[in-house]
Amino acid sequence: MTKSVSFTEMKHGTREDYELLATSEAKYQAGTADRILAELRRQGEASIEGYQITRLDHGLQSATRAEGDGADLDWVVGTLLHDIGDGLAPQNHDRFSAEVIRPFVRWEVAWVVEHHGIFQQIYYAHHYGWDENARDQFKDHPCFDACATFCERWDQASFDPDYVTKPLAYFEPMVREVFVRKAYDAQVLRDGVVTGIP
């Protein structure tokens, strides 16, 4: 039988309760990569209708392009997961996706994923009567060029059913390598450092 805490309100928890939870949470956090990979697989089964490929295929194609351009591990995994939020947060999937990766990748990569939605509007916003230049509000941000390049080369171009794309199994070790990192490690995050896209 699984051991559980004694409290029904957090304010009544004991040191032993919170030590138990710390152990349980560590085990649960160790399974983050498994849950992310399961969500990617789900995106291959339940996806937004109307596209020629699934959301999983889009992520795989984007990541394949990123790796082909010589992108490093953070860019490849960030690109693979840039739309991971589509299933649960379709209205703000970009910010949701960024929060999934933020503790484990460079600040620059998380910023680009967080803002790619507004940058993508340059390609289609005029069809809806929206501002296609909405991204210009970030024109002085140090990550502007990286986000524009990400969208142009890896995101908007990756809806091609004939593009030869690497399978999820190929990227799985990369996902595991990123999500086994210590969360919010300053040496990984490199806050404020912009290296750009290769």
Side-chain angles (χ1 to χ4, degrees):
M1 186 167 140
T2 304
K3 193 173 178 186
S4 63
V5 297
S6 64
F7 64 81
T8 58
E9 294 183 31
M10 292 181 77
K11 64 186 176 183
H12 297 141
T14 65
R15 175 179 290 280
E16 292 75 24
D17 286 332
Y18 285 103
E19 287 174 354
L20 171 66
L21 291 179
T23 300
S24 297
E25 288 171 4
K27 289 178 189 174
Y28 188 76
Q29 289 169 5
T32 300
D34 292 327
R35 290 187 300 278
I36 287 170
L37 291 162
E39 176 60 17
L40 285 171
R41 288 184 197 96
R42 191 201 61 74
Q43 287 187 342
E45 299 164 4
S47 198
I48 301 170
E49 293 181 6
Y51 291 99
Q52 294 184 50
I53 62 175
T54 67
R55 302 313 283 164
L56 170 60
D57 292 330
H58 170 64
L60 293 171
Q61 190 173 137
S62 300
T64 299
R65 289 180 189 278
E67 188 190 50
D69 284 350
D72 67 12
L73 179 66
D74 283 20
W75 277 122
V76 172
V77 172
T79 303
L80 175 68
L81 301 179
H82 77 278
D83 284 342
I84 193 79
D86 274 342
L88 294 175
Q91 300 301 318
N92 63 339
H93 80 282
D94 46 4
R95 287 173 280 169
F96 186 106
S97 301
E99 292 310 318
V100 171
I101 66 171
R102 189 179 310 282
F104 304 100
V105 299
R106 283 193 315 280
W107 164 82
E108 171 188 30
V109 175
W111 193 96
V112 166
V113 170
E114 180 179 0
H115 294 86
H116 80 273
I118 197 167
F119 275 67
Q120 288 285 81
Q121 288 184 19
I122 198 163
Y123 304 111
Y124 67 86
H126 59 285
H127 294 298
Y128 295 114
W130 302 344
D131 181 7
E132 63 193 71
N133 296 308
R135 71 184 192 173
D136 287 350
Q137 66 187 288
F138 301 107
K139 66 183 176 187
D140 295 326
H141 193 279
C143 294
F144 182 93
D145 289 341
C147 197
T149 301
F150 169 90
C151 290
E152 178 64 23
R153 289 186 11 211
W154 301 341
D155 192 359
Q156 70 83 29
S158 294
F159 295 91
D160 182 354
D162 297 321
Y163 186 83
V164 178
T165 301
K166 292 181 178 172
L168 183 57
Y170 176 83
F171 294 105
E172 182 174 338
M174 297 180 202
V175 171
R176 293 189 183 285
E177 183 177 342
V178 165
F179 285 91
V180 77
R181 293 173 175 171
K182 179 184 174 189
Y184 298 105
D185 183 341
Q187 292 181 349
V188 171
L189 300 185
R190 297 173 59 199
D191 196 26
V193 175
V194 175
T195 58
I197 287 179

